DNA sequence: CACTCATGAAACATATCGTGTTGCATGAGA
DNA sequence: TCTCATGCAACACGATATGTTTCATGAGTG
């Protein structure tokens, strides 16, 4: 549990959901991720609020994709998670009185801003559809006898 | 204490040291940083190992800059700190068996690599001399009656 | 209506890691 | 010998992602 893997995790969930027809329960998704259903619900909450997925209670309930995979980017998913902090590093003080620290913040800050801008731009360039296509390409490349997408669903 | 501020902190220390003539004790540096002398020693250990600073024990001991400020970049300092992890986010699994996760890792990984490359390139473009010059410019800009660099040293 | 299934939410435990702090050993100079 | 300062180890603390349990809510089924 070294770093924040929520974006990685929620993308994993979404791509698995794209392989299902109907709705999928948190429990089944959690089994695919080797984690706990509550963790899945926490991850999905923000996505539901932004209309990327829908959840239904009760019998036959679960999670459903309600967005166009080709119109949702990694950036959208990132925002749905609450735009978590990107960098593990930061300033010692955001509003320093010390002029030395202001100079340090200036140099580091602009570098971090540029890197963040590039990263989020890259996120905006990739749709869930791209990821899904990449997944299917890997499926095909792994041979005709490759495992199914969901071997544990049978 | 939200994020790793070691790079910011150690740059702060180095720039303050540049304003001193002789050696400076950890205690004095810690006072400038509002922290503990042991924290300063921890930060400086890696820099000493790489020959950026030197330390001496006993009477009159302390820390001295032994590098050319114009030849040491932020990247060098970053490496001296042990090249700490840059991003707060990462993969759920580095070597996943799941093809979905491989696709996710591929997309996220290349974006993170590009952003890291950009960030470190920016670090390599900035020397400690640049930061020091920036600091002195800020000193001059803050007016003739501005505080000294080390008002608490008098 | 009673029962079951599944989400929603809150509380708590756990692990990691940067930071702060204390204590003691080592070595250099007065 | 005494003092000063680094070096190092150990421990406490705070923040946060993650894992887990418990209970409430609501939707479908018999």
């Amino acid at each position: 549990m070294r770093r924040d893997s929520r974006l990685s995790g929620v993308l994993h969930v979404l791509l698995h959901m794209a392989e299902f027809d109907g709705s999928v329960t948190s429990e089944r998704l959690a089994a695919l991720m080797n984690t706990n259903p509550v963790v899945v619900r926490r991850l999905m909450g923000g996505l539901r609020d932004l209309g990327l997925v829908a959840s239904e209670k009760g019998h036959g309930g679960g999670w459903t994709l309600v967005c166009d995979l080709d119109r949702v980017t990694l950036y959208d998913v990132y925002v749905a998670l609450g735009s978590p902090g990107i960098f593990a590093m930061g300033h010692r003080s955001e509003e320093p009185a010390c002029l030395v620290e202001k100079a340090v913040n200036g140099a580091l800050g602009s570098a971090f801003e540029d890197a963040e801008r590039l990263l989020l731009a890259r996120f905006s360039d990739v749709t869930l559809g791209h990821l899904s296509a990449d997944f299917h390409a890997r499926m095909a490349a792994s041979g005709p006898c490759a495992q199914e997408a969901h071997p544990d669903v049978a």
Side-chain angles (χ1 to χ4, degrees), chain A:
Chain A
M1 172 200 335
R2 195 156 67 266
R3 302 180 288 182
D4 179 355
S5 62
R6 281 178 292 178
L7 182 57
S8 173
V10 80
L11 290 175
H12 193 170
V13 169
L14 289 174
L15 261 65
H16 272 293
M17 286 177 64
E19 303 301 313
F20 283 91
D21 278 345
S23 63
V24 198
T25 66
S26 307
E27 187 171 354
R28 184 168 291 186
L29 291 172
L32 289 173
M33 312 259 302
N34 295 312
T35 183
N36 194 289
V38 179
V39 175
V40 174
R41 292 188 196 117
R42 267 204 293 244
L43 284 178
M44 306 288 280
L47 278 72
R48 180 194 52 226
D49 296 342
L50 261 71
L52 303 184
V53 299
S55 62
E56 276 181 285
K57 292 182 174 181
H59 256 102
W63 299 88
T64 1
L65 275 172
V66 293
C67 61
D68 181 353
L69 289 187
D70 293 323
R71 300 186 67 82
V72 174
T73 69
L74 303 196
Y75 178 74
D76 298 323
V77 178
Y78 165 76
V79 171
L81 287 177
S83 308
I86 290 177
F87 297 106
M89 320 172 59
H91 299 329
R92 266 174 35 86
S93 165
E94 291 304 327
E95 280 300 331
C98 173
L99 289 180
V100 168
E101 188 133 27
K102 287 191 190 225
V104 171
N105 280 9
L108 289 182
S110 90
F112 281 120
E113 283 171 19
D114 288 353
E116 173 167 340
R117 206 164 1 245
L118 172 64
L119 183 71
L120 296 185
R122 291 291 305 269
F123 282 178
S124 298
D125 284 339
V126 181
T127 66
L128 296 181
H130 291 145
L131 288 189
S132 185
D134 183 16
F135 159 64
H136 284 110
R138 288 170 191 264
M139 279 281 288
S142 64
C145 302
Q147 61 173 7
E148 284 298 311
H150 302 291
D152 44 2
V153 175

